[in-house]
Structure formats: structure tokens, C-alpha cells
Amino acid sequence: MKTSHFLIAATACGMLMTGCGKTTEKKESQEQTDSKTDKGTELMSNYTSFKLTTDLSHLSEDQKSMVGLLIEASQIMDDLFWKQAYPGDKTKLLNGIQDANLKSYAQINYGPWDRINNNEPFINGVGEKPKTANFYPTNITKEEFEALDNNEKTSLYTVLRRDEQGKLKVIPYSEAYKDELSKAASLLEEAAKLAKDEGFKQYLTLRAEALMSNDYYNSDIAWMDMKDNMIDLVYGPIENYEDKLYGYKASFEAYVLIKDMEWSEKLAKYAQFLPELQEGLPVPDNYKQEKPGTDSQLNAYDVVFYAGDCNAGSKTIAINLPNDERVQLKKGSRRLQLKNAMRAKFDKILVPISDVLIDPSQKQHITFDAFFANTMFHEVAHGLGIKNTISGKGTVRDALKDTYSALEEGKADILGLYMVKKLHEKGEIDGDMKDYYTTFMAGIFRSVRFGAASAHGAANMIRFNFFQSYGAFEKTPEGKYKVNYDKMEEAMNALSEKILILQGDGDYEGVNKLVSEMGNISADLQADLNKLGEAGIPVDVVFEQGKSALNI
């Protein structure tokens, strides 16, 4: 699950898609030229550029060549995500946009809907974004989906289309995207031949096979078994954020990563505390009965290429994978901290936000070490709690459907802070807890700006409103925010318990109720967020990346 993205429940269209969010390409092509240059400039100011690079001097020539092949393979994931996210013709869309800035903004968003502004269309005549994305026909209804007698309809790795008679059919990714995945598999196999680390070689080989078989389990296990590889790759259909209809379908993405061996060694010790932290969760015992896998790993990386889902709109700065509950229970998970991308967001976004909104008496508590720890333990916290409901409703993911991703991100945020507190009490984390609490508070303002269309942004709205109801912070007469540290801990424990119980019960209606009550930006908060835009503080980053950025 990525870090650093409570989805608003489907309302106007309900869970039906009849007539909702259709993309009218004819109208698009006629009206896109109405867009004004100043609009494109204004939208592009939401992002600041950052060059993705790192020191490759310790890599052999074969390893550098392998990195190049992995970047080529990742570009295929980028193209495939466009096909999943946009139910229209990408080329027609981009060619119809005359303004260069607006065209760039469409490329950042993988379509004409603004991902950091609740998926509002920024091209005239497009209409709202369909909750189906391109995983289902845009005119699908809940009734016909439920009536379809096919166990694979809820698979992460299938799309639904209509046959010649207009009836639904289920197509595996390996068939729907056969040409692209065949090419991707060939590139991974070619890279495997250059791999120095045997574990990485095995993973690349099995991942190539998985693209063609639609079965990713063995390659996920192989990825978990790697320990000493200096180069890493996250690759394939992974997260289910883009499917706003049911949350069933996984999107294509890729990260090419260079491991920081020294930082990774420092982080390795924290995984051993997971079982102890699970036992201490502030929730009744039956909601923490599962035992986290003991093979969980914490590692630090410089990321040198993003592609697909992880590159759309707001960018991920830490990763917790695999998502397969079977792998998590058997092996645990790996938490990848993306140091260079994290530093970019801290320096270019979080510090300037703090200058505008955090009380001067607490600004000294905004630190990169606290930002790194809060982000890291967010990913570790995905391994806490339970993956299967205690109410007989199956997995938490299946029971919570389209609300799963947002609630899971909210859990990881709040339990990450809980872990920091507990490890600090044990003397395993240095520094002042005020650093972690204050930086966490500032981080809410950063992520709330991602908007309700982002699981991370909406989760932050709920946390902000929940914390406010507990008096965890106050707003000074000068319009600055000041953390009440004792109340912060109380609110942290209360929200942790609430989320863990909602997950354990598989309480879909309860999650929707929480969203409707807490998942809103007040006029007062919006006015403060507007100050950030007026101060010229970007919402997120875009990357200058690829072989040229690495000089390979």
C-alpha cells in the first residue's frame, strides 16, 4: 500500500454506473481548445519539479545496463496504466489539448481529471470521472455485476467488457493486455540475465512468468525472500486505488530502486518489534488475534523511476508490499522508504507549510528525522491489526469494498504514530516526541491537499476532524496551529481503536458513516489551505527521470 494516498462513499451515482461519468470523446475534441493558457499555468503551479538521481558508481556496467532495461520495462507499465485509468483514446485526448501546460497536466493526471482536486475535470466538456475507470464498462449496473456468474469478476487481475450481445464477460489481464505484457516479460527476462544477485534474478524471472499467467503469488514470495540485492524493482498490477466502483481491480505501476545499504541496516531492527506492538494495540484481543509475519523488512532506497499508478498525481514516498494477505501472513511484508523523494517533499512542501500554519513556538519540532520515522512507521503499521474479519465476512479488503483503501491508509497513519510512541518509550527511537507529534500535524496539512479522491488525502481529513474533536490541537488568534501533546495521544488511541474495530467487523456502513461525519473540509480549514496556494507552496512534485537523468 502506498503512503503517503477515506474515499468518499459513492453518492449521486450510488454504486450504479448507469449514465454516470461517461466520457464523450466527440465533445472533448470540440471543447478542449477552449482552455486558456493561464489556467494551465495555474494548474501546473500545483507541482514542483525534482530530478530523480542517485550515486551509481558502486554498480557494475552490467548492473547499470540492467537498470536501463528495468526503466524500459517500467515505461510499459506507464502505458498500461493510461489504458486502465482513462476510458477513452489517450492520443485523441492529448492531441486535442492546444495549451502545452494543460497537456502536461493531463499527462501528470493520466487523464483530464485533477487527482489533487477530487478528480474535478480540468478540460471543458469531459464530464465527471467514471468510478469504473476502464476496468468495467462505464454503463455497468450493480445488478448486472452481481448477477454475473463468474468467480473471476472480483479478481484483482481481470477486466470486465461487453460481448457482441452486450453481455458482460471477464477477461484476465494476461489476455486483455497480452501484447504489452509479453514485451514487458521479455525485458524482465533480459534484465534477469544481467542480475548479479541470485535472489533478484529469481524474482525477475518469476515476475515475467506472472505477467503471462496472471498468478503473482510465487513472484511475491520470491520478492520477499530477497535480502542483499542492491537494485530492486516493484512491478506489475499492485494497488486498487483507481477502481472507485468496487475497489477490486489492481493498477499497473513500477518503481526502479537503488538500495541504501547503510540506512537499511539501521532500520532492520524495528521489524522484530511487530509481534509485541500487535499485542499492545489499544483494542480488544479478538481484533488483534492474527500474528504479523516475522520476515518483515525495513529498507531505505533512492528511487530512480516511477511509472503508472504510483506516478499519477501525488507521488508515493514509501511502500508496503505485497498486498496479498496470504503472503503477509506467511512472510510479513517489506517496507521501502524512498529517501530522495521523501527529502524533496520535506524540503519543498512540508517546511514551507509549517512556516505558514504551525505556531512559531513549535516550528523547531518540524524535523526530517521525524518526517522519515512517521512515514516509515506508516508502512510498518500496515502489518498490524487483522487481515480477516472476525464477523465471518471474509477478508477486510472484500468486506469493505471501495472504502477499504482509505480506511487502511487511515489505520496505517494513526498506528504508525502509535508505534513511534511505543518505541520511543522503549528507548528504541531517539529525539523528542514533540518532534514526531508536531511533524505529524504538519503532515496532515500536506496530505489533505491531495483531496477526497485520494485515499491518503481523505484519510487525513478524517484524522484532522477527529483530532479537532478531541482537542488535540488548537488554533491561535494569529491563525496558527498549536499541538496539545497530551490530547494528541488520547485522540491517537481512540481513533486507532475505532478503525481497528471497523476493519475487524467488516463494517461497510460504519465506514461510510465515519466518512460522512468526518471526511469533510470545513470552510475554516479550506481558508487555511488556500493560504498555502497563495504562498506559492506546491501540492506535490513531478519528476525529471529516466536514463538521461541517470546518465546511463
Side-chain angles (χ1 to χ4, degrees):
M1 285 128 190
K2 42 183 186 183
T3 287
S4 312
H5 289 352
F6 263 97
L7 298 175
I8 300 301
T11 51
C13 294
M15 293 304 291
L16 304 181
M17 284 307 301
T18 307
C20 292
K22 293 182 180 178
T23 301
T24 308
E25 292 185 358
K26 182 178 180 181
K27 193 173 184 181
E28 273 179 26
S29 60
Q30 292 173 339
E31 297 191 31
Q32 284 165 2
T33 55
D34 295 338
S35 303
K36 296 181 179 179
T37 300
D38 58 349
K39 179 180 179 182
T41 302
E42 180 183 353
L43 288 173
M44 284 302 295
S45 70
N46 287 322
Y47 291 89
T48 184
S49 180
F50 181 77
K51 186 175 182 178
L52 284 181
T53 187
T54 190
D55 180 11
L56 300 180
S57 61
H58 61 294
L59 300 184
S60 68
E61 290 305 312
D62 277 354
Q63 288 174 316
K64 291 176 184 177
S65 296
M66 181 172 63
V67 169
L69 289 170
L70 297 180
I71 289 174
E72 289 179 34
S74 296
Q75 289 167 333
I76 296 173
M77 295 296 100
D78 205 67
D79 293 338
L80 285 176
F81 181 66
W82 258 103
K83 290 189 174 184
Q84 294 180 312
Y86 180 60
D89 187 314
K90 170 190 173 183
T91 301
K92 184 181 292 186
L93 170 72
L94 295 178
N95 287 345
I97 304 174
Q98 301 305 311
D99 177 66
N101 281 324
L102 273 183
K103 183 177 291 189
S104 294
Y105 207 68
Q107 291 169 327
I108 289 169
N109 285 278
Y110 292 77
W113 301 285
D114 194 344
R115 292 173 180 270
I116 59 174
N117 187 27
N118 304 328
N119 278 327
E120 289 294 319
F122 54 87
I123 299 296
N124 294 334
V126 169
E128 68 181 56
K129 184 177 182 180
K131 292 179 172 62
T132 57
N134 199 24
F135 299 113
Y136 316 84
T138 55
N139 63 349
I140 193 173
T141 67
K142 179 180 179 180
E143 289 77 15
E144 66 177 333
F145 179 84
E146 293 183 346
L148 179 61
D149 185 18
N150 188 317
N151 291 333
E152 292 301 305
K153 68 183 181 182
T154 60
S155 167
L156 287 165
Y157 313 124
T158 61
V159 294
L160 276 71
R161 297 290 182 256
R162 296 195 183 278
D163 61 19
E164 294 178 355
Q165 287 73 45
K167 295 183 178 180
L168 293 176
K169 61 180 179 178
V170 180
I171 307 173
Y173 283 4
S174 54
E175 180 181 335
Y177 310 114
K178 183 177 180 179
D179 291 344
E180 295 93 337
L181 293 179
S182 295
K183 184 177 179 182
S186 295
L187 286 167
L188 294 189
E189 289 168 350
E190 190 176 347
K193 296 175 182 176
L194 298 175
K196 182 178 180 181
D197 181 84
E198 288 300 319
F200 192 45
K201 182 189 294 288
Q202 173 78 344
Y203 164 66
L204 291 174
T205 301
L206 291 176
R207 205 63 171 179
E209 293 175 3
L211 295 174
M212 306 311 299
S213 69
N214 236 37
D215 182 355
Y216 291 84
Y217 179 80
N218 288 333
S219 60
D220 278 348
I221 293 292
W223 189 72
M224 283 299 300
D225 285 340
M226 296 188 303
K227 306 289 185 182
D228 302 316
N229 50 305
M230 290 189 290
I231 301 169
D232 209 336
L233 177 72
V234 174
Y235 196 87
I238 296 172
E239 305 288 0
N240 60 341
Y241 302 117
E242 195 68 15
D243 177 1
K244 298 295 195 292
L245 185 61
Y246 287 111
Y248 290 144
K249 305 305 176 185
S251 299
F252 288 105
E253 67 179 5
Y255 306 79
V256 181
L257 305 152
I258 307 299
K259 190 173 183 179
D260 187 317
M261 306 301 281
E262 183 179 350
W263 271 67
S264 296
E265 187 176 346
K266 293 177 184 177
L267 303 180
K269 65 176 183 178
Y270 293 121
Q272 65 183 298
F273 294 106
L274 275 175
E276 178 184 343
L277 291 165
Q278 173 87 344
E279 290 177 6
L281 289 174
V283 69
D285 287 345
N286 53 335
Y287 292 94
K288 51 185 177 182
Q289 59 192 352
E290 294 175 359
K291 302 299 182 186
T294 56
D295 253 3
S296 297
Q297 303 171 44
L298 287 172
N299 294 298
Y301 299 82
D302 279 340
V303 55
V304 296
F305 199 81
Y306 282 73
D309 187 35
C310 62
N311 194 46
S314 58
K315 309 301 187 293
T316 302
I317 53 177
I319 312 167
N320 175 70
L321 291 171
N323 285 332
D324 190 325
E325 292 88 350
R326 300 170 300 168
V327 180
Q328 290 181 11
L329 291 173
K330 181 176 181 178
K331 291 283 189 178
S333 58
R334 288 176 62 196
R335 285 84 177 194
L336 298 80
Q337 317 307 309
L338 312 183
K339 283 176 49 253
N340 54 346
M342 205 181 295
R343 174 57 79 173
K345 293 202 183 191
F346 181 80
D347 290 342
K348 292 175 174 284
I349 301 172
L350 191 64
V351 170
I353 285 175
S354 303
D355 290 338
V356 174
L357 294 181
I358 298 300
D359 188 79
S361 68
Q362 295 186 340
K363 276 204 305 184
Q364 74 271 24
H365 294 301
I366 305 295
T367 70
F368 179 73
D369 285 350
F371 181 59
F372 184 92
N374 288 341
T375 304
M376 174 177 69
F377 286 110
H378 165 106
E379 297 307 331
V380 179
H382 278 302
L384 297 178
I386 54 179
K387 309 301 178 187
N388 300 287
T389 65
I390 65 172
S391 56
K393 297 180 181 178
T395 67
V396 174
R397 181 189 297 273
D398 287 345
L400 296 185
K401 303 177 182 178
D402 57 304
T403 66
Y404 168 78
S405 292
L407 191 64
E408 177 63 24
E409 294 305 327
K411 179 200 83 172
D413 278 336
I414 199 66
L415 289 189
L417 188 60
Y418 157 83
M419 292 181 71
V420 168
K421 173 64 175 173
K422 293 302 179 184
L423 290 170
H424 188 269
E425 289 174 353
K426 290 172 64 67
E428 296 294 339
I429 293 180
D430 297 327
D432 189 335
M433 268 309 299
K434 292 178 181 178
D435 293 353
Y436 300 98
Y437 284 143
T438 311
T439 303
F440 187 86
M441 182 69 203
I444 293 178
F445 296 118
R446 183 183 71 85
S447 294
V448 158
R449 298 175 81 202
F450 297 153
S454 154
H456 293 82
N460 276 273
M461 294 179 203
I462 290 174
R463 186 162 55 260
F464 179 91
N465 290 323
F466 194 94
F467 279 12
Q468 187 173 46
S469 71
Y470 269 76
F473 60 85
E474 62 186 56
K475 192 172 181 182
T476 69
E478 295 74 29
K480 306 286 187 176
Y481 288 84
K482 191 173 183 179
V483 178
N484 296 324
Y485 297 111
D486 292 338
K487 292 288 187 179
M488 177 75 86
E489 183 175 356
E490 182 182 347
M492 174 186 73
N493 289 332
L495 184 56
S496 297
E497 181 180 31
K498 188 173 189 67
I499 291 176
L500 288 168
I501 288 175
L502 285 170
Q503 286 191 324
D505 291 344
D507 187 355
Y508 181 77
E509 295 304 321
V511 178
N512 280 325
K513 183 173 184 290
L514 180 63
V515 170
S516 66
E517 292 177 351
M518 295 279 183
N520 306 293
I521 298 180
S522 68
D524 187 52
L525 175 58
Q526 186 60 59
D528 289 331
L529 296 178
N530 290 343
K531 293 177 186 176
L532 303 178
E534 292 163 4
I537 301 171
V539 177
D540 212 79
V541 294
V542 291
F543 297 122
E544 179 187 344
Q545 60 176 0
K547 293 182 184 181
S548 59
L550 294 171
N551 294 317
I552 59 172

